[in-house]
Amino acid sequence: NLLLTITIVVFFVMYIGAIVFQGKGFLKPQTFFNILNANAALIILSCGMSLVMITGGIDISVGGVVALVSMSCAVYLDFGGGNVFVSMLLAVAIGLAFGIVQGFLVAYLDIQPFIVTLAGMFFARGMTTIVNTKPFNVANESFTALKETRVIVPGMGSVNKLGNYVNAYVEIGVIVALIMLRWTKMGRSFYAVGGNNQSALMLGINVKRTKFMSHLLCGLLAGIGGYVYFLHVGSGSASHASGMEMNAIASSIIGGTMLTGGVGNIIGTFFGVLSLSTIQNIVSSAGLDQAWWTGITIAAMLCLFLVVQSVVIARKKKM
């Protein structure tokens, strides 16, 4: 609870600071909704990452899964004459396949999750280029109509420079992300396994099944997040979602999830994504468009939250 409180306070402090120092643009509700629009897929991926990290594992294949889902669905829709509903099933199937295989290797063959998911990342990236090597935009009319669908948020619009009222909106992906936040729940078994495997066994918890389920759910959410990402970009490319797995890990840590397992929650992860995106927007608004400035600020945030986590753990042990 303390880590969650710190995460929420840090987010609000950063956002208020952005309003004070970067102008009134951050006051517009659409600015906040744009953060959600751009990071809906990351929210879903980070939820899955938190599930795995709470059990003491990690999954660095999720970015590759997103790229594979995007390219596979793009090729199916444009070159295979497919329909949108089947492409959604394809995305879920890809995510489940990775979750099942990696979960089995980690839980039942007792292979280190980092090694397993590293192989999964390379496999997903390689398969993406096998599916198609050239980036292209999807021209399927049904998909394009779905991609361009906007959900109006009543009463949250603003007046532009021409004096016209502009409605605030969110993309379909944001609705999916919020549903996933509501749907993703963790039982005590996840925390028990992440805290101590032996203690969990003594409590009668099936440790192997719990680890398998965490990777299975992470793979499923990666498939869903991949399609949400695909809806946002509307294209297939082997370079899609590059480094997204690192952003998911960073968001989980900022949200209070500990790499050692046993601590974390989905709400904290959500605010972790918002904090990560807000600091990126602040850096960009300050005119520091070079990529390394964003990397430096994210590194500073991670160090800060890792130090906070260490202090909280040390104090808890002392008490």
Side-chain angles (χ1 to χ4, degrees):
N1 290 333
L2 178 59
L3 293 175
L4 174 60
T5 303
I6 292 172
T7 301
I8 295 174
V9 169
V10 167
F11 166 69
F12 281 106
V13 168
M14 285 195 304
Y15 205 87
I16 293 171
I19 294 172
V20 173
F21 295 106
Q22 300 297 331
K24 296 181 179 180
F26 282 88
L27 271 175
K28 295 181 179 180
Q30 188 59 51
T31 302
F32 177 74
F33 293 141
N34 285 339
I35 292 176
L36 294 178
N37 291 332
N39 293 278
L42 181 59
I43 291 172
I44 299 173
L45 289 187
S46 299
C47 288
M49 186 68 70
S50 295
L51 285 171
V52 174
M53 288 174 62
I54 285 172
T55 60
I58 200 166
D59 188 343
I60 59 173
S61 69
V62 292
V65 173
V66 169
L68 179 58
V69 166
S70 298
M71 183 64 84
S72 299
C73 292
V75 169
Y76 170 71
L77 287 171
D78 259 22
F79 305 143
N83 63 73
V84 173
F85 179 72
V86 177
S87 68
M88 293 179 184
L89 294 179
L90 175 62
V92 171
I94 292 172
L96 279 175
F98 273 84
I100 291 171
V101 173
Q102 292 180 161
F104 178 79
L105 293 175
V106 171
Y108 294 101
L109 297 187
D110 202 24
I111 305 175
Q112 285 294 325
F114 180 83
I115 301 300
V116 171
T117 56
L118 178 66
M121 180 186 71
F122 286 132
F123 179 78
R125 291 290 177 184
M127 284 299 298
T128 303
T129 55
I130 289 176
V131 173
N132 195 28
T133 56
K134 296 180 179 180
F136 64 96
N137 293 322
V138 177
N140 183 283
E141 293 182 0
S142 298
F143 174 79
T144 303
L146 181 63
K147 178 183 180 298
E148 294 177 352
T149 300
R150 300 290 184 264
V151 179
I152 303 299
V153 183
M156 301 296 285
S158 60
V159 179
N160 61 17
K161 294 180 179 179
L162 299 176
N164 299 321
Y165 182 81
V166 180
N167 287 314
Y169 68 88
V170 294
E171 298 176 2
I172 292 294
V174 175
I175 305 301
V176 177
L178 295 178
I179 292 173
M180 291 298 103
L181 280 172
R182 177 68 178 174
W183 172 76
T184 306
K185 295 181 180 179
M186 289 172 289
R188 293 183 179 180
S189 58
F190 286 88
Y191 292 98
V193 170
N196 190 299
N197 284 350
Q198 289 301 118
S199 297
L201 281 171
M202 293 176 66
L203 290 171
I205 295 172
N206 191 324
V207 174
K208 291 184 177 181
R209 185 176 64 188
T210 302
K211 289 184 177 181
F212 174 77
M213 286 302 300
S214 68
H215 281 276
L216 175 64
L217 290 172
C218 185
L220 174 61
L221 290 172
I224 296 171
Y227 200 85
V228 169
Y229 181 89
F230 178 50
L231 275 175
H232 181 68
V233 299
S235 63
S237 173
S239 63
H240 274 340
S242 179
M244 204 170 188
E245 59 279 345
M246 296 299 111
N247 287 336
I249 294 171
S251 298
S252 297
I253 293 173
I254 293 171
T257 304
M258 299 189 63
L259 286 168
T260 53
V263 177
N265 60 74
I266 297 301
I267 300 301
T269 299
F270 173 69
F271 279 98
V273 173
L274 295 182
S275 299
L276 193 67
S277 179
T278 300
I279 197 65
Q280 290 172 339
N281 286 352
I282 292 173
V283 171
S284 179
S285 299
L288 304 174
D289 295 327
Q290 295 88 348
W292 59 78
W293 285 114
T294 302
I296 290 171
T297 53
I298 292 174
M301 283 188 67
L302 280 175
C303 290
L304 172 64
F305 277 90
L306 287 172
V307 169
V308 170
Q309 288 182 4
S310 299
V311 171
V312 170
I313 291 173
R315 185 177 178 184
K316 184 177 179 181
K317 288 181 178 179
K318 187 177 180 179
M319 291 175 63

